[in-house]
Amino acid sequence: MPEDSTHRSFDVVVVGSGAAGLTLALRLASSGRRIGVISKGALAEGSTLYAQGGISAVLDASDSIDAHVADTLRAGAGLCDEPAVRFTVEHSRAAIEWLIDRGVPFTPADESDETPAGYAYHLNREGGHSHRRIIHADDATGRAVETTLEGLTRRAPEITVFEHHMAVELIMTRTPAAARGHCQGVYVLDINRDTVRTFAARHVVLATGGANLAYLYSSNPHAASGDGIAMAWRAGARVANMEFMQFHPTCLYHPRARSFLISEALRGEGAVLRLADGHRFMPDHDERGELAPRDIVARAIDAEMKRTGQPHVWLDISHRDKAFIEKHFPAINAQCLELGLDMSGEPLPVVPAAHYTCGGVITDAHGCTDLDGVYAVGECAFTGLHGANRMASNSLLECIVYASAAADDIAGRDTTPLCADLPDWDESRVTDSDEEVVVAHNWQELRRFMWDYVGIVRTTKRLERALHRIELLRREIHDYYGSFRVTPGLLELRNLAQVAELIIRSALSRRESRGLHYISDYPKPLPRAMHTVLSPELGTESATAGYRPL
């Protein structure tokens, strides 16, 4: 394909620039392939940048692969795919060593630290883990990982970065050899120039993150609008377990920091959850207290807030001295002090917030989706690792391990010719919108009813109400999308509405409570754990027929 201002050609286009996307691009750079990286905002901006806690891995002699696997399976409430868990954990040390070799500045061990002897780096312990196995860079691990990979990406001659670009739609062709279609590239909105460009590619990698902005309260940055999941679904890929949305238990409750996360590492270092009267309530809900898995802690907080009528609970680490807090949590401490909160002398107000999408586009161990030429890695993918509840700090590990596996798979494939005649994006029948207020209004409506009806505790009645609302909203968005030129806000709204419907239909089909999905009508788990699998060719209505193995 001849290249001009609206057409570009690459061997691989990576949509997303977090830990998964940049790891894959850098892993492939040495293979001689031309790589384009699409970033919705600045290259480093995204969920990875704001990850605090760390990366779980078997790094100490007192720990073991079997122990990490067992902890993950236990947290996943019977729905983890054990081979996927073992594959991830077995590659955890290699993933960390690759990051260290790239220059990620993890926090070194100190004689005064509660860290297993003999390992060079400090290891935290977090909820659900039986050992200290969380390697970290103080309390800003994501920033250390992302900025390191960003610098390497910008210096790699094989990689071309497109900042402030947003993927619109995968370009699919139907062939006898690919029943669901073969991907030839992706349409991309150049946000600054307000132009949709055609990117031809032999392989497209979706590394777009989760869909947590479907909820009113989220710990994620603005980019987490489910773009990759929605695009893959519209192109014909199956998705799984979309009902399992993880709510992080401790997001700061403050009008000037509505999405500021208070890391689980605080609880790993002894922080406790209290009510306004000082009562420590987690032992009333689980014998593991504050170190219970996130689904249990989030439900406990939600229950106590509803029981007492309080708008938040309190996270208290004030029994630790100021020097300890400044050493282990410098970024969180500085942000809190800026907001007038001193966690060395007082508890912090916290609430649960949508944090992580455990379901996603179904992939194999190499990141391959149902769509020929399309890979998915990171939070937008369903690998089977997380099951019904993601264990703390397994997410960045999954990004590195599966991005590496996908890069190896792509590097081993033949370089088939690029399609020479991909069509331009057609805007001949649309106009500029004069009703942007519709986008803003629908955005707020969607996030509000998802929070109210499809949140931490669900009922069939609430879910049915949400389904009715999303069907009406999606019809309205479809009509709007067909009439006006695309904008970032419209694309994100369209994607969020699509993913919200998948979440709702998945939740309605699961007639049990398991992990992150708690429904009052069916408070107990069924004897056999099954995945919720939605398939586009059967229509979303097929989800109501039940759930099944992959």
Side-chain angles (χ1 to χ4, degrees), residues 507-527:
L508 273 169
S509 73
R510 183 168 292 280
R511 299 190 174 185
E512 64 164 353
S513 290
R514 184 181 296 275
L516 298 166
H517 173 74
Y518 186 86
I519 182 166
S520 299
D521 310 66
Y522 307 99
K524 301 294 183 183
L526 292 172

Side-chain angles (χ1 to χ4, degrees), residues 104-121:
V104 175
F106 291 115
T107 300
D110 186 283
E111 291 182 1
S112 63
D113 291 327
E114 297 176 43
T115 289
Y119 189 64
Y121 296 94

